[in-house]
Amino acid sequence: MSSEPSGRRSAGHAWRWALAGLIVVVALAVAVWPRGDDRSEEQHQAPVASGVSDDLRAAAHLPDCPSGAAPGNGPLAGITLGCLADGEPVDLAAALAGKPALLNLWAYWCAPCARELPYLQQYAQRAGNAITVLTVHSDPDEAKALSRLRGLDVRLPGVLDADARVRTVVGAPSVLPISVLVRADGSIADVEVRAFDGVDDIANTVAGKLGVAA
């Protein structure tokens, strides 16, 4: 068996090393090459869906959220939240402007909240148009909020406050439930860090803080 001449072997090794070097250079170029198309696709991606179906919203039978054309004032100005009834954005201060309001901060996992919510619905029916009663689900799980309201048969207008922005701007502690009493001009009359124990308790508190009789 004959062996390959040494000159030919040297040339072959040199050629293979050159080819390997070229492959490395090409790979590095591909790795660092700007990907304008990729960035464009990322920038135009649709926002992630909330995962809440229209059927689930419909099953909760929630009324539409309040709305207002004029900009609102006070600490709630600039806060936009999603309406539980339809997912549409609600400018909170504008929606509440011109009428006293009771904002009830709650969450699906809060047992005292579950006991209090039916009282709030009864109070809202009793007070009529004299005051806006709005629930504020202070947790990101919108589906569980809708399911909880459906199970309690509570049908109050409500918004989703996934980041607890309302609680933050009114300076309330990290507990639930909390009721925020808002004057017609957008200023905060009081923050009740407790659960109401009945409809009369709500009515007496609102009358004393906001002057609304019911």
Side-chain angles (χ1 to χ4, degrees):
M1 183 179 295
S2 63
S3 60
E4 184 180 6
S6 60
R8 188 176 299 175
R9 285 200 304 271
S10 298
H13 289 317
W15 181 85
R16 283 195 292 270
W17 279 113
L19 180 60
L22 179 61
I23 292 172
V24 170
V25 170
V26 171
L28 288 173
V30 171
V32 301
W33 192 265
R35 289 178 173 82
D37 292 342
D38 291 346
R39 288 198 300 270
S40 177
E41 289 176 2
E42 291 174 1
Q43 291 170 357
H44 291 88
Q45 283 178 351
V48 178
S50 67
V52 176
S53 67
D54 292 339
D55 290 343
L56 183 57
R57 292 191 194 280
H61 297 293
L62 299 180
D64 294 337
C65 290
S67 60
N73 300 311
L76 301 177
I79 296 179
T80 299
L81 303 174
C83 182
L84 291 177
D86 54 17
E88 292 298 315
V90 176
D91 182 326
L92 197 55
L96 302 178
K99 184 188 293 188
L102 188 164
L103 304 184
N104 182 253
L105 280 56
W106 72 288
Y108 72 89
W109 41 261
C110 169
C113 301
R115 292 191 294 270
E116 181 185 55
L117 283 166
Y119 298 143
L120 288 163
Q121 177 163 285
Q122 294 171 41
Y123 170 75
Q125 293 169 342
R126 194 161 109 180
N129 292 325
I131 187 171
T132 298
V133 178
L134 184 72
T135 68
V136 181
H137 189 249
S138 304
D139 182 278
D141 200 325
E142 187 175 13
K144 288 183 179 177
L146 291 166
S147 296
R148 187 62 163 154
L149 291 172
R150 181 184 179 187
L152 294 170
D153 197 25
V154 170
R155 298 177 181 177
L156 288 169
V159 291
L160 180 71
D161 187 6
D163 301 321
R165 283 181 285 168
V166 173
R167 190 185 70 203
T168 300
V169 299
V170 301
S174 300
V175 297
L176 293 173
I178 293 170
S179 289
V180 182
L181 304 178
V182 186
R183 299 185 184 94
D185 64 1
S187 62
I188 305 300
D190 194 28
V191 178
E192 294 284 323
V193 187
R194 65 185 181 92
F196 291 117
D197 60 17
V199 180
D200 288 340
D201 185 12
I202 301 172
N204 292 336
T205 301
V206 172
K209 303 294 183 178
L210 292 176
V212 176

